[in-house]
Amino acid sequence: MTTKLFGEPVRRREDARLIVGQGRYLDDIGADAYAAAFVRSPYAHARVVDIDVSPALDVEGLLAVYTYEDLTGPMAEPLPVLIPHPQLTHARTGYTLVRDVAHHVGEAVVMVVAVDRYVAEDAAALIEVTWEELPVVVGVDAAEAAVHAVHPDVPDNVAARHHQERGDVEAALAASAHTLSFTQYFERSASMPMEGKGVLARWDADDAALRVHSSTQASTSVRAAIAAKLELSLEKVEVIAPDVGGGFGVKIMHPWPEELLVPMAAIKLGHEVKWVEDRREHFISSAHERQQRQEVTVGYDDDGRITALDVLVWHDNGAYTNYGIIVPINTATQLCGPYDVPVYRARVNSVYTNTVLVTPYRGAGRPQGTFAMERTMDRIAQERGLDRLEVRRRNLIQADQFPYDWGMTFQDGRPLVYDSGNYPGLVDKLEALVDWPGLEARRAEAAGRGKLLGAGMAMYVEGTGPGPYEGAHVEVLGSGKVLVSTGLTSQGQGHETVFAQLAAAELGVPLEDVEVTTGDTRRFGYAVGTFASRAAVVSGNAVALAAKGVREKALRIAAELLEADPGDLEIDEGLVQVKGTPGASIPLRTVAVLSNPLRYAFDEAARQATQFAGPGDDSKPPIAVGDSPGLEYTDYYSPLRSTFAAGAHAAVVEIDPATWEIDVVQYAVVHDCGNVVNPMIVEGQVHGGVAQGVGGALYERMAYDRDGQLQNASFMDFLMPYASEVPAVDIDHQETPSPLNPLGIKGAGEAGVIPGSAAIASAVEDAVGRRIAAMPISPTELYDLMRSDGEQVPRLPSATGVPA
């Protein structure tokens, strides 16, 4: 890998097309498709007594109505548990259409297909479903109480009991000089991509082949699921992710019922069928995340060094466990962050509730774990009368302790081992970036304006780039264009730019000559998906390896033409040349032509590769044994285990004691994602993550009532920060290369969001002098807290939710 382009702040190549309206999103295609709409459960827990579709049958333009009774074979079976785990002892999933009992509001019961969406919605509104309401369970407290069961065969509502530990916690706590116990809550939020989910399917009866476009983060996995459920050969199914307007985790869940039902209808009707999720559907039927109750007990010495940590987490996984228990595993295994905790026990009870299922949302359990750890650090500092930064410094893993083996198992099933880092360096950089010593002067200045000023900080470690693998194909055309293909999908992260940089740097060609295709199974059929900050780590290394394979072949072919040793050649600006002898050269595009010996000349370029175009070596076959025609190469990168990025955030808030409005006036980030391919894109990722972190800390919550009705299922009621609520972000980089992959990189996609709630909670607590025990926190809750004698009480439904 050359240094050229690697590490350069190249502007995103895809932006020019997207910002002028030339994107090609799901709803931009399939203009002539039939449209699907769904009848969804209005109840959080209810049995289907009867479905009467007859009132809809006279609607002009209606084409088909499907209920569970119309499903056969694998389509009539429960949806898969995508990530089985031995501690997920009571996994439950729903069906593509409700079979007998709906377990949350928004579950699909009937699919209607019509000539357009207007007709489909009108017909769906006429279908009459008779329901028998059942007891409702909302929130972790109600799930733990188990007065009612979400699933009758899981009476305690516990889907999984995840337990990992190092050392003897009970003995270590008993021997600790000091102990502290407390409980805190993290409430529900959700991904809100600009584009909801969507599916377009087309059946080719002559070829018995299915082509599906899906707004997904995992096109190859959707392909496999469709093939399995519809009993099709895998090679007869194509899945393409067009431009995708954001994902943030909700689109890594698959298969969504609609991703199976729409293709089924396309096959049955012999016509294209499309469904595009509306915003209310996204609120009530897509995935949520975040809600936990955390019970923390920590032991520490006189200097604030942790001697033992014991955490019991009650995690709300919603009505189903389609995605397994990845989120609570991330909480348990990432909770300790950058700290050298000698004795640690994490117990997670993952419980069912009559709410939308939980799958990863940017951060994926790590914001909750960071909240537990960083609030613990703040409480130790308060109890011992120590500076918060100093307590953290005393507990940090030191640079000479890497690789740091926790003796636990990470979410990828591999050992939890931190590969590299410099955590004290992060604190030093953050202290300077936010001017920590100058905060008291700023506090006094704010007080003079009638404002309460507070500062907080939080650190995190994020496991990134898990396997099992990703691959890439790189090909040089006779025109000189370089085609890069990978099965990994993109939802706006800048993959087109980063992968082009990596290929161009490895091949020595101009960046503008590289074209990148992602998420199209026609171009690359083997992939895993975009999640867990893995694109650059896994696909990036695959692209670099494939480009390296192309370069080696190009140098070998050119060496014969130039009568030179391949080791004496280099490629610069698309020209293969002898090092130090610029005149002895051949264009890479010519090498591409000559790499494919031809019998027929289709054009002037092809003529150069025909058998009489020039002298050849009669002692060798035109294509060497073990070689192949064309200047192309496919390679895969499969990581040994995850690599661990890290960072430190600081937030400074001002609070108006007249309104208790919380204003984030400064936000600083120091992050370490190993070698940085493109600092501009990394900073963009951090900025976006910070915005979501601010939203999760101060605004965003899924407000269910005790009957399981989502009270804020629209953008009129679900608050998200505008640009006016997100501060400018001061960013500093630290690079500790990973020894685990050839490029030395770590993931950065979730770096901005993970510590946000912890840092802002710390800042608010510092400003008002009251303990913040639940996030998000609103001005109303802060007002109530300041009028109370205790600490913050979360706004949660009662523990004994009952039907309306």
Side-chain angles (χ1 to χ4, degrees), residues 5-25:
L5 288 175
F6 191 106
E8 292 297 314
V10 176
R11 295 182 67 87
R12 287 166 44 115
R13 307 171 74 205
E14 48 269 74
D15 286 356
R17 174 176 60 87
L18 297 175
I19 63 177
V20 297
Q22 294 181 355
R24 189 168 179 266
Y25 297 91

Side-chain angles (χ1 to χ4, degrees), residues 203-496:
W203 174 248
D204 184 338
D206 292 335
D207 196 35
L210 181 69
R211 178 175 294 177
V212 177
H213 287 77
S214 181
S215 181
T216 182
Q217 294 175 231
S219 55
T220 55
S221 297
V222 172
R223 177 194 189 200
I226 290 172
K229 282 291 189 179
L230 296 181
E231 298 182 286
L232 299 170
S233 296
L234 188 65
E235 66 272 14
K236 291 294 186 179
V237 180
E238 299 170 347
V239 174
I240 302 133
D243 287 325
V244 177
F248 307 115
V250 69
K251 295 177 185 177
I252 193 60
M253 224 307 285
H254 61 275
W256 287 105
E258 300 87 359
E259 287 175 317
L260 302 174
L261 291 164
V262 170
M264 180 194 77
I267 294 172
K268 288 181 178 291
L269 298 173
H271 194 281
E272 280 188 313
V273 178
K274 181 166 71 172
W275 168 79
V276 176
E277 183 180 59
D278 66 37
R279 189 54 61 176
R280 177 169 171 78
E281 284 182 301
H282 188 82
F283 271 100
I284 66 172
S285 63
S286 291
H288 297 169
E289 219 242 81
R290 303 290 199 244
Q291 188 176 79
Q292 291 182 357
R293 188 180 83 216
Q294 303 172 340
E295 301 172 14
V296 180
T297 299
V298 61
Y300 53 97
D301 64 18
D302 291 341
D303 295 323
R305 292 186 178 87
I306 291 178
T307 52
L309 180 64
D310 188 19
V311 182
L312 172 62
V313 174
W314 290 86
H315 171 78
D316 179 359
N317 57 229
Y320 301 116
T321 49
N322 299 51
Y323 207 81
I325 55 172
I326 291 299
V327 172
I329 289 175
N330 277 346
T331 297
T333 56
Q334 299 280 259
L335 189 146
C336 291
Y339 305 112
D340 187 8
V341 180
V343 180
Y344 171 59
R345 178 172 66 185
R347 293 168 293 162
V348 182
N349 294 328
S350 194
V351 295
Y352 288 116
T353 60
N354 290 117
T355 55
V356 174
L357 84 166
V358 162
T359 71
Y361 163 36
R362 195 177 194 177
R366 299 176 186 89
Q368 300 95 308
T370 299
F371 189 68
M373 187 75 249
E374 293 299 318
R375 304 306 290 130
T376 298
M377 285 293 173
D378 283 347
R379 294 202 169 190
I380 291 173
Q382 184 181 49
E383 292 294 322
R384 299 306 304 157
L386 298 170
D387 180 79
R388 288 169 289 168
L389 256 64
E390 183 57 31
V391 168
R392 287 168 170 82
R393 281 193 172 101
R394 292 176 184 181
N395 283 282
L396 289 173
I397 297 167
Q398 300 299 303
D400 61 1
Q401 292 180 266
F402 291 97
Y404 188 92
D405 190 346
W406 282 95
M408 296 190 291
T409 302
F410 191 44
Q411 59 121 316
D412 57 1
R414 300 240 162 193
L416 181 66
V417 180
Y418 291 176
D419 49 322
S420 65
N422 177 9
Y423 303 151
L426 294 173
V427 177
D428 293 343
K429 283 178 173 288
L430 186 72
E431 182 178 26
L433 195 61
V434 79
D435 188 17
W436 193 265
L439 287 171
E440 286 307 314
R442 292 179 63 182
R443 194 191 308 273
E445 187 275 332
R449 293 184 284 107
K451 299 292 181 69
L452 303 173
L453 184 139
M457 64 93 63
M459 301 187 70
Y460 72 95
V461 171
E462 179 197 359
T464 72
Y469 70 90
E470 289 294 342
H473 177 262
V474 175
E475 179 180 8
V476 181
L477 303 180
S479 64
K481 288 292 183 183
V482 178
L483 305 183
V484 176
S485 302
T486 177
L488 192 96
T489 58
S490 183
Q491 304 84 48
Q493 299 93 332
H495 295 161
E496 183 179 331

Side-chain angles (χ1 to χ4, degrees), residues 37-41 97 106-112 123-125 127 129 131:
F38 291 87
V39 178
R40 299 183 183 275
S41 172
L97 292 170
E107 207 169 344
V109 186
V110 183
M111 180 174 73
V112 173
I127 294 173
V129 183
W131 299 90

Side-chain angles (χ1 to χ4, degrees), residues 120 138 518:
V138 179
T518 64

